[in-house]
């Protein structure tokens, strides 16, 4: 597994999120998850809001096209990207 899978609605990502990083980034993590680093602190939902904003920008989606499926209060998260599956797959393959 590469940390993501494509379905009819878009993609589901398995992420390990590290808050308070020096810069925002996404890339390969371990075998089962992508690694996301965010500058935002994990306080009052700031990191989750930053995650949604960052993924929306990175994958050229509206913010409503990114939703946290599980792990809202944890570093390990599952996130849905709603959009063209082929386009998302091509972007994910470059990570």
């Amino acid at each position: 597994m590469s940390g993501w899978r494509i379905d009819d609605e878009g993609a589901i990502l398995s992420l390990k999120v590290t808050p308070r990083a020096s810069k925002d980034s996404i890339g390969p993590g371990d075998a089962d998850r992508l690694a996301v680093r965010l500058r935002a602190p994990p306080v009052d939902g700031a990191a989750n809001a930053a995650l949604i904003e960052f993924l929306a920008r990175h994958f050229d989606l509206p913010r409503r096209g990114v939703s946290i499926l599980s792990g809202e209060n944890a570093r390990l998260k599952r996130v849905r990207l709603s959009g063209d599956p082929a386009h998302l797959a091509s972007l994910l393959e470059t990570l």
Side-chain angles (χ1 to χ4, degrees):
M1 181 175 179
S2 59
W4 54 274
R5 70 177 173 86
I6 299 296
D7 62 18
D8 292 340
E9 297 175 30
I12 295 178
L13 311 181
S14 295
L15 306 174
K16 180 177 182 182
V17 178
T18 303
R20 290 193 175 129
S22 60
K23 67 178 185 171
D24 294 342
S25 66
I26 185 170
D30 60 26
D32 297 332
R33 300 191 181 279
L34 295 171
V36 176
R37 296 182 181 283
L38 299 171
R39 289 176 289 164
V43 178
D44 297 329
N48 285 338
L51 175 65
I52 290 169
E53 182 69 30
F54 172 72
L55 292 176
R57 265 193 334 265
H58 188 81
F59 292 102
D60 195 27
L61 297 170
R63 286 184 348 173
R64 71 180 180 277
V66 180
S67 56
I68 298 174
L69 300 176
S70 64
E72 197 163 297
N73 296 318
R75 289 181 186 226
L76 302 180
K77 300 180 186 299
R78 287 184 57 235
V79 175
R80 158 139 334 260
L81 303 179
S82 297
D84 176 37
H87 177 70
L88 291 172
S90 69
L91 292 173
L92 286 162
E93 287 171 0
T94 64
L95 293 178

